[in-house]
Coordinates of all heavy atoms in Angstrom, one line a residue:
R298 N 8.2 14.3 7.6 CA 6.9 14.3 8.1 C 6.7 14.9 9.6 O 5.6 14.7 10.2 CB 6.2 13.0 8.0 CG 6.0 12.5 6.6 CD 5.2 13.4 5.7 NE 4.9 13.0 4.4 CZ 3.9 12.5 3.9 NH1 2.8 12.3 4.5 NH2 4.0 12.2 2.6
K299 N 7.9 15.2 10.1 CA 8.1 15.7 11.5 C 7.4 14.6 12.5 O 6.6 14.9 13.3 CB 7.3 17.0 11.7 CG 8.1 18.1 10.9 CD 7.4 19.4 11.1 CE 8.1 20.5 10.4 NZ 8.8 20.5 9.2
I300 N 7.8 13.4 12.3 CA 7.3 12.2 13.2 C 7.8 12.4 14.6 O 9.1 12.6 14.7 CB 7.6 10.9 12.5 CG1 7.0 10.7 11.2 CG2 7.3 9.7 13.5 CD1 5.5 10.7 11.2
D301 N 7.1 12.2 15.6 CA 7.6 12.3 17.0 C 7.9 10.9 17.5 O 8.6 10.7 18.4 CB 6.4 13.0 17.8 CG 6.2 14.4 17.4 OD1 7.2 15.3 17.5 OD2 5.0 14.6 16.9
V302 N 6.9 10.0 17.2 CA 7.0 8.6 17.7 C 7.0 7.6 16.5 O 6.1 7.7 15.6 CB 5.9 8.2 18.6 CG1 5.9 6.8 19.1 CG2 5.9 9.1 19.8
F303 N 8.0 6.7 16.3 CA 8.0 5.7 15.2 C 8.0 4.3 15.9 O 8.6 4.0 16.8 CB 9.3 5.9 14.5 CG 9.5 5.0 13.4 CD1 8.8 5.1 12.2 CD2 10.5 3.9 13.4 CE1 8.9 4.2 11.2 CE2 10.7 3.1 12.4 CZ 9.9 3.2 11.2
I304 N 7.2 3.5 15.2 CA 7.0 2.1 15.6 C 7.1 1.2 14.3 O 6.5 1.3 13.3 CB 5.6 1.8 16.3 CG1 5.4 2.8 17.3 CG2 5.5 0.4 16.8 CD1 3.9 3.0 17.8
D305 N 8.1 0.2 14.5 CA 8.3 -0.7 13.3 C 8.8 -2.1 13.9 O 9.4 -2.1 15.0 CB 9.4 -0.1 12.4 CG 9.4 -0.7 11.0 OD1 9.3 -1.8 10.8 OD2 9.6 0.2 10.1
D306 N 8.7 -3.1 13.1 CA 9.4 -4.4 13.5 C 10.7 -4.6 13.0 O 11.4 -5.5 13.3 CB 8.4 -5.5 13.0 CG 8.5 -5.6 11.5 OD1 8.0 -4.7 10.8 OD2 8.9 -6.7 11.0
S307 N 11.1 -3.7 12.0 CA 12.5 -3.9 11.5 C 13.6 -3.1 12.4 O 13.5 -1.9 12.5 CB 12.5 -3.2 10.1 OG 13.9 -3.0 9.6
Y308 N 14.5 -3.9 12.8 CA 15.6 -3.4 13.7 C 16.3 -2.3 12.9 O 16.7 -1.2 13.4 CB 16.5 -4.5 14.2 CG 17.7 -4.0 14.9 CD1 17.6 -3.5 16.1 CD2 19.0 -4.0 14.2 CE1 18.7 -3.1 16.8 CE2 20.1 -3.6 14.8 CZ 20.0 -3.1 16.2 OH 21.1 -2.6 16.8
K309 N 16.6 -2.6 11.7 CA 17.4 -1.7 10.8 C 16.7 -0.4 10.7 O 17.3 0.7 10.8 CB 17.5 -2.4 9.4 CG 18.3 -1.5 8.4 CD 18.4 -2.2 7.1 CE 18.9 -1.3 6.0 NZ 18.9 -2.0 4.7
N310 N 15.3 -0.4 10.4 CA 14.6 0.9 10.3 C 14.5 1.7 11.6 O 14.7 2.9 11.6 CB 13.1 0.6 9.8 CG 13.1 0.2 8.3 OD1 14.0 0.5 7.6 ND2 11.9 -0.5 8.0
C311 N 14.4 0.9 12.7 CA 14.3 1.5 14.0 C 15.6 2.2 14.4 O 15.6 3.5 14.8 CB 14.0 0.6 15.1 SG 12.3 0.0 15.0
M312 N 16.8 1.6 14.0 CA 18.1 2.2 14.3 C 18.2 3.5 13.5 O 18.7 4.5 13.9 CB 19.3 1.2 14.0 CG 19.3 0.0 15.0 SD 19.7 0.7 16.6 CE 21.3 1.2 16.4
Q313 N 17.8 3.4 12.2 CA 18.0 4.6 11.3 C 17.2 5.8 11.8 O 17.5 7.0 11.8 CB 17.7 4.3 9.9 CG 18.7 3.3 9.2 CD 18.3 2.8 7.8 OE1 17.3 2.9 7.4 NE2 19.3 2.2 7.2
V314 N 15.9 5.5 12.2 CA 15.0 6.5 12.6 C 15.5 7.1 14.0 O 15.4 8.3 14.1 CB 13.5 6.0 12.6 CG1 12.5 7.1 13.3 CG2 13.0 5.6 11.2
A315 N 15.9 6.1 14.9 CA 16.2 6.7 16.2 C 17.4 7.5 16.0 O 17.7 8.4 16.9 CB 16.6 5.5 17.1
S316 N 18.3 7.3 15.1 CA 19.5 8.2 14.9 C 19.1 9.6 14.5 O 20.0 10.5 14.7 CB 20.4 7.5 13.8 OG 19.9 7.8 12.5
Q317 N 17.9 9.8 14.1 CA 17.4 11.1 13.8 C 16.8 11.9 15.0 O 16.3 12.9 14.9 CB 16.3 11.1 12.7 CG 16.9 10.6 11.4 CD 17.9 11.4 10.8 OE1 17.8 12.6 10.6 NE2 19.1 10.8 10.5
G318 N 16.9 11.2 16.2 CA 16.4 11.8 17.5 C 14.9 11.6 17.7 O 14.3 12.3 18.5
I319 N 14.4 10.6 17.0 CA 12.9 10.4 17.1 C 12.7 9.2 18.1 O 13.4 8.2 17.9 CB 12.3 10.1 15.7 CG1 12.5 11.3 14.7 CG2 10.9 9.6 15.7 CD1 12.4 10.9 13.3
K320 N 11.7 9.4 19.0 CA 11.4 8.3 19.9 C 10.9 7.1 19.0 O 10.0 7.2 18.2 CB 10.3 8.8 20.9 CG 9.8 7.7 21.8 CD 10.9 7.3 22.7 CE 10.4 6.3 23.8 NZ 11.5 5.7 24.5
T321 N 11.6 5.9 19.3 CA 11.4 4.8 18.4 C 11.2 3.5 19.2 O 11.8 3.3 20.3 CB 12.7 4.6 17.6 OG1 12.9 5.7 16.7 CG2 12.6 3.3 16.6
Y322 N 10.2 2.7 18.8 CA 9.8 1.4 19.5 C 10.1 0.4 18.4 O 9.6 0.5 17.3 CB 8.4 1.4 20.0 CG 8.0 2.4 21.0 CD1 7.6 3.6 20.7 CD2 8.4 2.2 22.4 CE1 7.3 4.6 21.7 CE2 8.0 3.0 23.4 CZ 7.5 4.3 23.0 OH 7.2 5.2 23.9
L323 N 10.6 -0.8 18.9 CA 10.8 -2.0 18.1 C 9.7 -2.9 18.4 O 9.6 -3.4 19.6 CB 12.0 -2.7 18.2 CG 12.3 -3.9 17.5 CD1 12.3 -3.8 16.0 CD2 13.7 -4.5 18.0
M324 N 8.7 -3.3 17.5 CA 7.6 -4.1 17.8 C 8.3 -5.6 17.7 O 8.8 -6.0 16.7 CB 6.5 -4.1 16.7 CG 5.4 -5.1 16.9 SD 4.5 -5.0 18.5 CE 3.6 -3.5 18.2
T325 N 8.2 -6.3 18.8 CA 8.7 -7.6 18.9 C 7.9 -8.7 18.2 O 6.7 -8.6 18.3 CB 8.9 -8.0 20.4 OG1 9.7 -7.0 21.0 CG2 9.6 -9.3 20.5
T326 N 8.7 -9.4 17.4 CA 7.9 -10.5 16.6 C 8.8 -11.8 16.7 O 9.9 -11.7 17.3 CB 7.9 -10.1 15.1 OG1 9.1 -10.2 14.5 CG2 7.1 -8.7 14.8
E327 N 8.2 -12.8 16.2 CA 9.0 -14.1 16.2 C 10.3 -14.0 15.4 O 11.2 -14.6 15.6 CB 8.2 -15.3 15.6 CG 7.1 -15.8 16.6 CD 7.7 -16.5 17.8 OE1 8.7 -17.2 17.7 OE2 7.3 -16.1 18.9
L328 N 10.3 -13.1 14.5 CA 11.4 -12.9 13.5 C 12.5 -12.0 14.1 O 13.7 -12.0 13.6 CB 11.0 -12.4 12.2 CG 9.9 -13.2 11.5 CD1 9.5 -12.4 10.1 CD2 10.4 -14.5 11.2
N329 N 12.3 -11.2 15.1 CA 13.3 -10.3 15.6 C 13.5 -10.5 17.2 O 14.4 -9.7 17.7 CB 13.0 -8.8 15.3 CG 11.9 -8.3 16.1 OD1 11.4 -8.8 17.2 ND2 11.3 -7.2 15.5
K330 N 12.8 -11.5 17.8 CA 13.0 -11.5 19.2 C 14.3 -11.8 19.8 O 14.6 -11.4 20.9 CB 12.0 -12.6 19.8 CG 12.3 -14.0 19.4 CD 11.3 -15.0 19.8 CE 11.6 -16.4 19.5 NZ 10.6 -17.4 19.9
N331 N 15.2 -12.4 19.0 CA 16.5 -12.7 19.5 C 17.6 -11.6 19.2 O 18.8 -11.8 19.5 CB 17.0 -14.1 19.1 CG 16.2 -15.1 19.8 OD1 15.7 -14.8 20.9 ND2 16.0 -16.2 19.2
I332 N 17.2 -10.6 18.5 CA 18.1 -9.4 18.1 C 18.3 -8.6 19.4 O 17.3 -8.3 20.0 CB 17.6 -8.7 16.9 CG1 17.7 -9.6 15.6 CG2 18.4 -7.4 16.7 CD1 17.0 -8.9 14.4
D333 N 19.6 -8.2 19.6 CA 19.8 -7.4 20.9 C 19.4 -6.0 20.3 O 19.9 -5.4 19.3 CB 21.3 -7.3 21.1 CG 21.8 -6.3 22.2 OD1 20.8 -5.6 22.7 OD2 22.9 -6.2 22.5
S334 N 18.3 -5.4 20.9 CA 17.8 -4.2 20.4 C 18.6 -2.9 20.8 O 18.2 -1.8 20.6 CB 16.3 -4.0 20.8 OG 16.2 -4.1 22.2
G335 N 19.6 -3.1 21.7 CA 20.4 -1.9 22.1 C 19.5 -0.9 22.9 O 18.8 -1.2 23.8
N336 N 19.7 0.3 22.3 CA 19.0 1.4 23.0 C 17.6 1.6 22.5 O 16.9 2.5 23.0 CB 19.7 2.7 22.7 CG 21.1 2.8 23.4 OD1 21.2 2.2 24.4 ND2 22.0 3.5 22.7
I337 N 17.1 0.8 21.6 CA 15.7 0.8 21.0 C 14.8 0.1 22.0 O 15.1 -1.0 22.3 CB 15.6 0.2 19.6 CG1 16.7 0.8 18.7 CG2 14.2 0.3 19.1 CD1 16.5 2.3 18.4
Q338 N 13.7 0.8 22.4 CA 12.7 0.3 23.3 C 11.9 -0.8 22.6 O 11.3 -0.4 21.7 CB 12.0 1.3 24.0 CG 11.1 0.7 25.1 CD 10.3 1.7 25.9 OE1 10.6 2.9 25.9 NE2 9.2 1.4 26.4
R339 N 11.8 -2.0 23.2 CA 11.0 -3.0 22.6 C 9.6 -2.9 23.1 O 9.4 -2.5 24.3 CB 11.5 -4.4 23.0 CG 12.6 -4.9 22.1 CD 12.9 -6.4 22.5 NE 14.0 -6.8 21.5 CZ 13.7 -7.4 20.4 NH1 12.5 -7.5 19.9 NH2 14.7 -7.8 19.6

Side-chain angles (χ1 to χ4, degrees):
R298 298 294 176 114
K299 297 180 174 39
I300 299 299
D301 301 296
V302 176
F303 180 71
I304 306 163
D305 200 321
D306 67 298
S307 166
Y308 172 73
K309 179 181 168 186
N310 288 337
C311 287
M312 289 298 293
Q313 290 172 346
V314 171
S316 74
Q317 299 297 308
I319 298 167
K320 177 66 179 169
T321 302
Y322 296 97
L323 177 64
M324 177 61 75
T325 302
T326 68
E327 282 298 310
L328 301 177
N329 71 24
K330 68 182 181 183
N331 291 334
I332 291 175
D333 179 1
S334 61
N336 295 330
I337 306 296
Q338 184 176 340
R339 281 187 176 273

